[in-house]
Amino acid sequence: MVVVWVWAIAVVPSDYYCQQHGYYMSSVVDGKTERYPDYQKALQNDFELNTAITVMGQIMADRGFPLKLLEQEIKTINEQDAEDEMLTSKSGGEIAETPYDRLKKKAKCDIILQLGWKINHFGPRYSLTFNLQGIDAYTNKQIVACQGTGEPTYSAELPILIEESVVNNLETFNYQLQNHFNDMMANGREVSVNIKRWDNAPFDLETEFGDRELGEIIEDWMADNTVSGRFNTVDATENMLVFQQVRIPLYDERGRANDTRRWSRGLVNMLKGLGITSKLTTKGLGQASIIIGGK
Amino acid sequence: MRILLTLLLALSMIPFNSYSKSKEPPFHCELEMAEIGKAGTVVAKLWVYSKSKKINEETIIKNAILGICFNGVQPNESRRMRGMRPLIEGVYEDYKDYFENFFSSQDYQRFVRIGLDGYAEQGDLIKVKKQYKVGRIVVIHLSDLRKRLEDDNVIRSLTNGF
């Protein structure tokens, strides 16, 4: 049975837009004030933003990609926040996440579209400069982008200009998105994997199992289980291995949609076969950490 | 003399019309953004190259469809209205059979509406060497056309393969 991958795309106002319009929340981290976009405040107060998201939603739905409704996702996240407030780590720390991190992780979006615009004035005329970036939630890389300035006008209302900008730019945007999907279908999804070691483990990555070092065994598994053996070993010591640009297949051997955690579980199971216990954690959607030598 | 007459008779039997038709391209047009239309539509200026000053509605619609499929749409003069890439990556000859079948039914007419009721604006008729360049505003229902091409497996949809 093949499970169809259902892409999740969410539209959020860009950081610049939120900062310019006062839609942000502040917190003090290590004595420094940090500002994070407040999406809920933006949605509740900005009619033009809602207009833009609605038009984008209409166009993307026509292409078979209904957008995740940001407003509904935020409500769900707020409900879950109450549970998270009860959680603390063994050392008394709390979960530290920005609204953007929570949206990526809890809404399980594959792609986040950051939307923003600016009004340009020259004399009695004005125009709109529109900017749209698509970020891969797994790698935080920009995968699609478009921006442009519309025709100057004397009298058009702002929602009309925004709607025209969305319509004007979305074809180019979807073309880039199609190229990204073509690349993923051909070459797999890009993630990163870190292998670490508990300091009380009786072995390290240079310990031999059979006639090969553990690090080599792990690299061989990576080569066998990535698409076309594609990955980069950016760091290798006796205590850690850092793999980046790892291309995992979109579906596993049973036809189920693959994510970083499910795919990395395969490596954990392989290590278990060698008698090595390990702990699997993920950060965001695209990074897995496997700590060997215990749970 | 008899040989010359025989030769002239033989030459007159050659169907010149069909020869010239086979050399005539199926479409020869350019599309340029005219306005930003509603979501799912493209409002463009269609320029059709024709030997005649007057072109019929059927020619306009067919050129608009084939133009957006294989030539795309150019940005407007100020370049503030983005153009569009061709819907189909390839040449017309590879899809000739499909489009001959496509145009054989009248269904194709629903994908294009001729703007201004076909009225020609000033500057819409330009003499180019031995041809005329005839301009018309057209509204192409891009979403519907794309959906039709996806359903007929001519192009891939965004969700194809997932």
Side-chain angles (χ1 to χ4, degrees):
Chain A
M1 181 183 77
V2 173
V3 177
V4 175
W5 184 284
V6 180
W7 286 95
I9 302 181
V11 181
V12 302
S14 65
D15 286 7
Y16 170 81
Y17 184 85
C18 289
Q19 296 282 350
Q20 291 297 307
H21 290 79
Y23 306 136
Y24 57 84
M25 56 179 82
S26 304
S27 66
V28 178
V29 178
D30 294 332
K32 192 178 162 188
T33 304
E34 297 278 351
R35 283 182 171 183
Y36 306 105
D38 187 344
Y39 299 135
Q40 188 168 19
K41 189 176 174 186
L43 286 172
Q44 287 174 347
N45 292 281
D46 198 318
F47 178 74
E48 285 82 19
L49 177 64
N50 281 286
T51 300
I53 292 175
T54 301
V55 175
M56 286 189 67
Q58 180 192 342
I59 295 173
M60 296 306 288
D62 279 347
R63 298 299 298 270
F65 268 100
L67 299 179
K68 280 213 164 191
L69 288 176
L70 183 61
E71 204 166 346
Q72 298 306 318
E73 293 301 326
I74 288 172
K75 280 182 188 168
T76 306
I77 287 166
N78 287 341
E79 284 163 8
Q80 290 176 349
D81 274 352
E83 298 170 16
D84 286 344
E85 280 175 10
M86 304 295 289
L87 289 174
T88 57
S89 71
K90 290 177 185 172
S91 59
E94 295 178 352
I95 293 173
E97 284 179 319
T98 66
Y100 182 74
D101 291 333
R102 289 205 296 276
L103 181 72
K104 277 199 307 181
K105 184 173 152 187
K106 294 185 181 176
K108 294 286 184 191
C109 294
D110 299 282
I111 298 170
I112 301 210
L113 306 183
Q114 294 195 342
L115 169 69
W117 59 82
K118 184 179 159 235
I119 309 286
N120 311 304
H121 293 273
F122 22 82
R125 299 197 302 171
Y126 56 95
S127 65
L128 188 106
T129 298
F130 180 83
N131 190 58
L132 182 65
Q133 269 186 319
I135 311 287
D136 184 320
Y138 280 61
T139 60
N140 285 327
K141 287 185 181 178
Q142 178 179 295
I143 53 169
V144 293
C146 58
Q147 70 89 29
T149 301
E151 294 284 351
T153 178
Y154 289 97
S155 59
E157 297 92 340
L158 185 56
I160 300 287
L161 290 181
I162 292 167
E163 184 179 341
E164 285 184 353
S165 291
V166 171
V167 172
N168 191 23
N169 285 282
L170 227 55
E171 277 305 317
T172 304
F173 178 87
N174 282 328
Y175 174 79
Q176 295 175 14
L177 200 60
Q178 180 74 74
N179 286 342
H180 175 67
F181 291 157
N182 292 344
D183 174 65
M184 287 183 68
M185 281 191 285
N187 301 311
R189 181 192 291 281
E190 187 177 323
V191 302
S192 60
V193 180
N194 299 326
I195 311 291
K196 298 174 190 174
R197 167 187 163 267
W198 294 109
D199 56 9
N200 58 355
F203 55 84
D204 61 26
L205 288 164
E206 289 177 353
T207 305
E208 290 198 1
F209 287 78
D211 57 353
R212 291 187 299 159
E213 290 182 2
L214 179 58
E216 188 187 341
I217 294 172
I218 291 172
E219 282 187 310
D220 285 347
W221 185 92
M222 296 287 287
D224 291 339
N225 290 276
T226 50
V227 177
S228 304
R230 288 176 65 166
F231 66 97
N232 282 334
T233 310
V234 297
D235 213 348
T237 68
E238 69 271 20
N239 294 315
M240 71 164 177
L241 280 168
V242 177
F243 300 109
Q244 290 184 356
Q245 292 162 356
V246 179
R247 294 287 197 149
I248 68 172
L250 290 179
Y251 299 100
D252 65 13
E253 60 280 354
R254 288 158 66 176
R256 297 179 303 180
N258 230 354
D259 60 16
T260 313
R261 186 177 183 82
R262 176 173 286 148
W263 180 83
S264 305
R265 177 67 59 192
L267 178 53
V268 169
N269 291 338
M270 187 280 287
L271 292 170
K272 196 173 171 184
L274 295 175
I276 298 171
T277 310
S278 50
K279 182 182 179 68
L280 171 62
T281 62
T282 53
K283 183 181 175 187
L285 293 174
Q287 190 183 99
S289 292
I290 298 173
I291 307 131
I292 60 173
K295 284 259 184 220
Chain B
M1 187 64 179
R2 188 181 283 178
I3 294 169
L4 185 62
L5 279 171
T6 310
L7 192 60
L8 278 171
L9 186 62
L11 280 172
S12 69
M13 301 288 282
I14 295 172
F16 279 106
N17 279 343
S18 64
Y19 178 79
S20 62
K21 271 185 187 169
S22 70
K23 281 289 184 184
E24 195 178 302
F27 69 104
H28 187 186
C29 65
E30 293 161 4
L31 281 161
E32 183 185 308
M33 289 298 293
E35 275 179 37
I36 311 276
K38 285 186 181 176
T41 65
V42 171
V43 182
K45 188 63 167 264
L46 172 71
W47 292 100
V48 178
Y49 289 81
S50 169
K51 288 177 184 167
S52 164
K53 288 181 189 180
K54 291 183 181 177
I55 50 173
N56 59 28
E57 200 174 287
E58 187 183 323
T59 305
I60 294 171
I61 293 174
K62 284 182 179 177
N63 271 272
I65 290 173
L66 292 173
I68 202 168
C69 285
F70 295 102
N71 294 345
V73 185
Q74 297 300 312
N76 70 335
E77 202 176 314
S78 69
R79 307 197 78 80
R80 288 175 187 250
M81 290 186 218
R82 281 186 180 276
M84 216 191 91
R85 290 174 187 268
L87 280 178
I88 299 175
E89 288 181 6
V91 294
Y92 171 77
E93 281 68 32
D94 296 339
Y95 298 90
K96 189 176 170 187
D97 293 339
Y98 170 78
F99 278 103
E100 280 177 359
N101 191 41
F102 182 85
F103 291 127
S104 63
S105 76
Q106 295 302 304
D107 189 45
Y108 72 89
Q109 295 191 357
R110 67 182 174 92
F111 297 115
V112 179
R113 182 170 62 81
I114 301 172
L116 302 174
D117 289 329
Y119 177 74
E121 296 177 298
Q122 191 178 8
D124 276 355
L125 183 66
I126 304 170
K127 186 97 170 44
V128 178
K129 292 182 183 175
K130 292 182 182 175
Q131 295 183 94
Y132 292 97
K133 198 172 159 182
V134 184
R136 290 288 186 276
I137 294 287
V138 291
V139 179
I140 304 171
H141 296 284
L142 182 64
S143 295
D144 294 341
L145 178 60
R146 179 183 282 118
K147 186 81 178 57
R148 170 67 183 269
L149 294 174
E150 285 171 1
D151 289 344
D152 292 345
N153 292 320
V154 177
I155 59 175
R156 290 173 73 173
S157 69
L158 271 178
T159 54
N160 192 322
F162 296 106

